[in-house]
């Protein structure tokens, strides 16, 4: 944990990493001189001023402090890039290489779970232990106020959780409208998570749950959310096929997948194909 002197330096690092100038974070309650002295470690801001400084970054206090300790946002980003690169190339051995035999920190335990979830999605092979499932269940249910970090984790570990718990946590997330309505980045993460929830429910044949999330997505998704809209459209057809088993619907789904490949969206197309095989 940073001491008070280093807190200002860390604030500057976060501000610059988000592309904000000093003028961008000032307001009627906080001027450039105060921000400068705070960042240089010569003067600590009072609580009110500090909260205005965090608000200037378009972050909540929880999200700001998330960047300091063991759960540093950058760690998840760096791990996520490695994880995604192996998922795109369907490199199961690469994903296995991310798994630590004896993870000591909470963060590393979560990263192990993410890698194992990706392996299960790609191959159908379940490497998750009961202990890991209980661990991530407790992590998500014990937190009163989720940050972007927690929403990202939730979206990636759905397979470790009881389906009814997933549904309830998803509904709880949607009730936290202050979390995602004010911040565009948060809104993007929540939309993507709700799409994952929608797909998850269809794959597990919980169609009534899927209908609830579909209705939410009709409100959340905007015209420029193209990838999310495509995914919802295809899985809506998959939902119909799973309930009605009409061959013409399956033919239409296969046509959509081929269309995605022509649109240079082969990663999404392949993921849909894999999900259909693993969740027959």
């Amino acid at each position: 944990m940073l001491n008070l002197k280093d807190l200002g330096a860390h604030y500057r690092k976060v501000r610059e990493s988000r592309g904000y100038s000093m003028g961008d974070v000032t307001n009627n309650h906080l001027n450039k001189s105060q921000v400068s002295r705070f960042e240089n470690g010569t003067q600590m801001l009072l609580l009110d001023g500090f909260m205005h400084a965090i608000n200037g970054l378009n972050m909540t206090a929880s999200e700001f402090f998330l960047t300091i300790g063991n759960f540093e946002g950058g760690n998840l980003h760096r791990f996520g890039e490695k994880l995604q690169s192996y998922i795109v190339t369907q490199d199961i051995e690469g994903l296995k290489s991310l798994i630590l035999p004896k993870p000591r920190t909470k963060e590393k335990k979560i990263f192990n779970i993410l890698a194992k979830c990706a392996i299960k999605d790609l191959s159908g092979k379940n490497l998750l232990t009961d202990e890991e499932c209980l661990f991530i269940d407790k992590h998500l249910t014990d937190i009163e106020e989720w940050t972007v970090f927690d929403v990202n984790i939730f979206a990636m570990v759905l397979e470790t959780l009881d389906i009814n718990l997933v549904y309830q946590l998803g509904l709880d997330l949607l009730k936290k409208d202050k979390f995602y309505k004010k911040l565009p980045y948060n809104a993007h993460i929540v939309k993507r998570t709700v799409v994952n929830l929608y797909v998850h429910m269809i794959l597990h044949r919980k169609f009534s749950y899927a209908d609830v999330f579909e209705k939410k997505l009709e409100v959340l998704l905007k015209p420029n959310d193209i990838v999310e809209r495509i995914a919802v459209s295809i899985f809506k057809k998959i939902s119909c096929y799973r309930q009605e088993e009409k061959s013409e619907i399956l033919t239409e789904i296969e046509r959509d997948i081929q269309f995605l490949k022509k649109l240079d969206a082969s990663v999404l197309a392949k993921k849909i194909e894999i999900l259909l095989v693993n969740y027959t």
Side-chain angles (χ1 to χ4, degrees), residues 19-40:
Y20 289 102
S21 68
M22 200 174 291
D24 290 331
V25 301
T26 58
N27 52 48
N28 293 335
H29 307 280
L30 188 70
N31 59 48
K32 284 186 179 181
S33 178
Q34 289 172 302
V35 174
S36 177
R37 290 195 295 271
F38 170 54
E39 291 188 350
N40 291 327

Side-chain angles (χ1 to χ4, degrees), residues 138-280:
K138 188 174 188 307
H139 171 73
L140 291 171
T141 54
D142 282 356
I143 299 170
E144 293 184 10
E145 183 181 349
W146 280 12
T147 65
V148 167
F149 178 88
D150 303 303
V151 177
N152 271 313
I153 297 301
F154 176 53
M156 292 187 279
V157 301
L158 299 180
E159 283 300 326
T160 71
L161 304 171
D162 174 80
I163 194 78
N164 294 306
L165 176 60
V166 169
Y167 178 65
Q168 190 56 57
L169 289 174
L171 294 182
D172 290 344
L173 174 62
L174 288 168
K175 291 176 184 176
K176 304 178 190 296
D177 56 353
K178 290 182 180 179
F179 171 77
Y180 60 85
K181 283 187 175 179
K182 291 183 179 180
L183 302 179
Y185 179 71
N186 287 16
H188 170 71
I189 298 299
V190 170
K191 288 176 191 177
R192 189 180 65 188
T193 300
V194 179
V195 171
N196 284 2
L197 289 166
Y198 176 66
V199 169
H200 185 74
M201 295 305 170
I202 291 172
L203 293 175
H204 289 274
R205 299 182 181 274
K206 293 291 185 179
F207 303 113
S208 61
Y209 289 176
D211 288 343
V212 172
F213 291 121
E214 184 183 342
K215 288 183 174 64
K216 295 291 185 182
L217 286 167
E218 288 173 359
V219 177
L220 285 173
L221 294 182
K222 306 304 178 188
N224 60 334
D225 295 318
I226 298 172
V227 174
E228 290 80 4
R229 284 183 171 277
I230 291 173
V232 170
S233 175
I234 293 176
F235 275 92
K236 189 172 183 178
K237 293 175 184 178
I238 292 171
S239 177
C240 290
Y241 174 71
R242 290 196 150 200
Q243 295 177 76
E244 301 173 15
E245 296 188 357
K246 293 180 180 179
S247 59
E248 59 266 29
I249 300 177
L250 183 59
T251 301
E252 196 170 333
I253 293 168
E254 291 170 347
R255 191 184 304 125
D256 286 343
I257 291 173
Q258 293 306 314
F259 181 66
L260 283 176
K261 291 178 180 178
K262 290 180 181 178
L263 284 178
D264 200 26
S266 56
V267 173
L268 176 59
K270 190 63 181 178
K271 185 173 183 180
I272 292 172
E273 288 177 328
I274 291 169
L275 288 174
L276 288 175
V277 170
N278 291 337
Y279 294 88
T280 53

Side-chain angles (χ1 to χ4, degrees), residues 82-91 95 122 267 270:
K82 291 181 184 178
L83 188 75
Q84 191 60 33
S85 68
Y86 291 137
I87 291 173
V88 168
T89 57
Q90 300 172 51
D91 186 348
L95 288 168
L122 288 176
V267 173
K270 190 63 181 178

